[in-house]
Amino acid sequence: MCRWLAYSGTPLLLDTILYKPAHSLIDQSLHSRLGVETTNGDGFGVGWYAQESIGTPALLKDIGPAWNNRNLREIADHVRSPLFFAHIRASTGTAVQQTNCHPFRHGRWMWMHNGAIAGFPLIRRELSLLVDPGLYSDIEGTTDSEMMFYLAVTFGLDEDPPGAVARMVGVVERSGRDHGAEFPLQMTIAVTDGECVWAFRYSSAGASRSLFYSTRVDTLRELHPDMAFLQEVSDETRLIVSEPLGDLPGAWNEVPESSYGVVHAGADELHPFAPQPA
């Protein structure tokens, strides 16, 4: 399937997170340890918010693998951001094309996904008819991930992100089961409005793809006082990743099954997650 990371905190060059860690996302594009596929080479994408103002995020996407993309390597040394998403893709059947690369964007929102809707070609039309007609023309690609995004926007992402995602999942599972899928959905999702980051781990089978969040920076400073990087970032800095970026003891915590977390100013949150009827 795919691997992704979400970063929020002290503004950093993208290179600091994308390339420098021992098991960076670039390394994972060739040598994933916890993914379904070892290689994730069906395209990549990076989305970020400018330091000066939080508004519509910038996106860079390409259909080639992340490990040898010169444009990604170039911007990573020059773009600094307090909040960015990065995603490497392993297609589950839809075309390898730029419009199918994550993250997806709508206004100030960004969305990325690892997983799949079972039997998506059979229910794609049914799901698309549930998207707000005013939004439908904004769908550019053919992936289940983008369809999930626009269903969540339709079901109230602006007002209630956890509720909108829960209603999206409820619709997908109902439709999938109506068409014979025993376990219709597998997902880890990150979504942000440029201020908060929400991350979800859920699957119909109760055996979701891997997802981890970083330990509080102040705790890590106590555990590893010799690490310069930890002295340079704020206590608010957080990472959410498909798999750990390294083996630093105490640095990573698994997101519980059927749960979602919120990263924002102040104390972070972790809550149970369950589908809701739309």
Side-chain angles (χ1 to χ4, degrees):
M1 293 190 179
C2 308
R3 305 278 83 185
W4 58 256
L5 69 79
Y7 173 85
S8 176
T10 299
L12 291 178
L13 288 173
L14 304 188
D15 168 76
T16 307
I17 303 299
L18 290 184
Y19 286 90
K20 288 185 176 178
H23 190 46
S24 69
L25 200 66
I26 304 304
D27 182 62
Q28 291 175 38
S29 65
L30 276 169
H31 306 296
S32 172
R33 299 171 184 171
L34 302 179
V36 175
E37 296 87 3
T38 301
T39 303
N40 298 270
D42 294 329
F44 72 88
V46 180
W48 67 92
Y49 295 85
Q51 287 181 252
E52 293 77 14
S53 62
I54 295 177
T56 302
L59 296 180
L60 173 70
K61 302 183 183 185
D62 203 291
I63 61 172
W67 64 76
N68 67 354
N69 189 277
R70 295 180 66 183
N71 289 331
L72 178 60
R73 176 69 269 184
E74 179 70 18
I75 71 157
D77 286 328
H78 296 277
V79 171
R80 189 181 300 271
S81 174
L83 199 166
F84 59 88
F85 280 7
H87 186 281
I88 50 177
R89 185 171 184 243
S91 172
T92 56
T94 49
V96 178
Q97 61 191 45
Q98 194 175 72
T99 53
N100 284 346
C101 294
H102 310 222
F104 301 102
R105 175 181 62 191
H106 177 74
R108 72 182 191 276
W109 291 95
M110 277 201 300
W111 172 284
M112 58 186 175
H113 166 235
N114 173 36
I117 297 175
F120 179 60
L122 298 177
I123 64 173
R124 180 179 171 189
R125 182 176 183 276
E126 182 175 315
L127 294 179
S128 69
L129 291 174
L130 298 175
V131 173
D132 184 326
L135 297 170
Y136 186 78
S137 61
D138 293 335
I139 299 175
E140 296 184 316
T142 58
T143 63
D144 52 1
S145 304
E146 188 178 20
M147 184 69 71
M148 292 162 67
F149 180 29
Y150 278 92
L151 285 170
V153 176
T154 297
F155 296 147
L157 188 66
D158 277 327
E159 295 80 26
D160 176 18
V165 174
R167 290 185 284 274
M168 175 276 290
V169 171
V171 160
V172 168
E173 289 196 321
R174 182 192 67 198
S175 183
R177 289 183 175 128
D178 286 348
H179 287 79
E182 182 180 6
F183 302 118
L185 183 60
Q186 172 72 242
M187 71 176 211
T188 65
I189 286 170
V191 59
T192 182
D193 60 358
E195 297 182 9
C196 299
V197 178
W198 293 263
F200 300 81
R201 186 180 185 218
Y202 176 81
S203 64
S204 307
S208 302
R209 301 292 180 246
S210 59
L211 193 64
F212 297 83
Y213 63 95
S214 60
T215 298
R216 288 177 55 91
V217 170
D218 54 354
T219 301
L220 287 175
R221 288 195 194 105
E222 294 177 5
L223 291 172
H224 306 283
D226 56 335
M227 286 204 65
F229 172 77
L230 296 174
Q231 310 304 320
E232 298 168 0
V233 296
S234 71
D235 289 351
E236 302 290 332
T237 296
R238 296 288 184 275
L239 273 161
I240 307 170
V241 297
S242 292
E243 56 189 79
L245 304 184
D247 300 321
L248 188 67
W252 303 102
N253 311 274
E254 187 172 16
V255 175
E257 183 69 48
S258 299
S259 67
Y260 76 92
V262 189
V263 174
H264 59 144
D268 300 332
E269 303 173 27
L270 190 62
H271 302 279
F273 176 83
Q276 297 177 10

